[in-house]
């Protein structure tokens, strides 16, 4: 029994068809701005996956940066001020 087959059996996962993979890669291609803005449709699946990983890493960095900036902002304003109220309402949306 191959290691791939034994892994599938031990994890209970089902095999994804080639058509499903092509469809998922196509959807990723549309979602990732770096790929979506290219004029050429000829981007390999591995490149799409690499760019998707890079895009997700960048999004994480942006979230971390914005969280830090928000934390600094909240530390500099009066918690009862109108600005603090606006920020709380935006966060709770």
């Amino acid at each position: 029994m191959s290691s791939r087959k034994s892994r599938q059996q031990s994890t209970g996962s089902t095999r994804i068809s080639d058509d499903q993979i092509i469809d998922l890669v196509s959807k990723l291609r549309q979602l990732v701005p770096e790929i979506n803005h290219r004029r050429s449709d000829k981007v390999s699946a591995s490149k799409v996956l690499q760019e998707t990983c890079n895009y997700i890493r960048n999004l994480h960095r942006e979230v971390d940066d914005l969280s830090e900036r928000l934390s600094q902002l909240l530390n500099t304003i009066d918690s009862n001020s109108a600005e603090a109220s606006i920020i709380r309402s935006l966060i709770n949306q």
Side-chain angles (χ1 to χ4, degrees), residues 60-73:
H60 278 287
R61 280 190 213 111
E62 285 183 43
V63 167
D64 290 344
D65 181 51
L66 290 171
S67 295
E68 179 64 31
R69 290 171 55 191
L70 179 59
S71 177
Q72 290 172 356
L73 177 64

Side-chain angles (χ1 to χ4, degrees), residues 74 77-89:
L74 289 172
I77 61 174
D78 177 19
S79 62
N80 296 321
S81 69
E83 292 90 355
S85 178
I86 292 169
I87 292 169
R88 278 193 298 277
S89 70

Side-chain angles (χ1 to χ4, degrees), residues 20-62:
Q20 288 172 313
I21 292 172
I22 291 168
D23 184 50
L24 291 170
V25 169
S26 175
K27 288 177 182 176
L28 285 174
R29 192 177 272 130
Q30 294 170 6
L31 291 172
V32 178
E34 184 69 27
I35 299 169
N36 194 17
H37 293 127
R38 289 187 184 162
R39 293 185 183 173
S40 172
D41 288 339
K42 302 207 179 222
V43 179
S44 69
S46 66
K47 185 67 174 172
V48 170
L49 294 174
Q50 286 177 328
E51 291 294 334
T52 301
C53 290
N54 291 337
Y55 181 62
I56 291 170
R57 274 190 219 102
N58 287 335
L59 288 175
H60 278 287
R61 280 190 213 111
E62 285 183 43

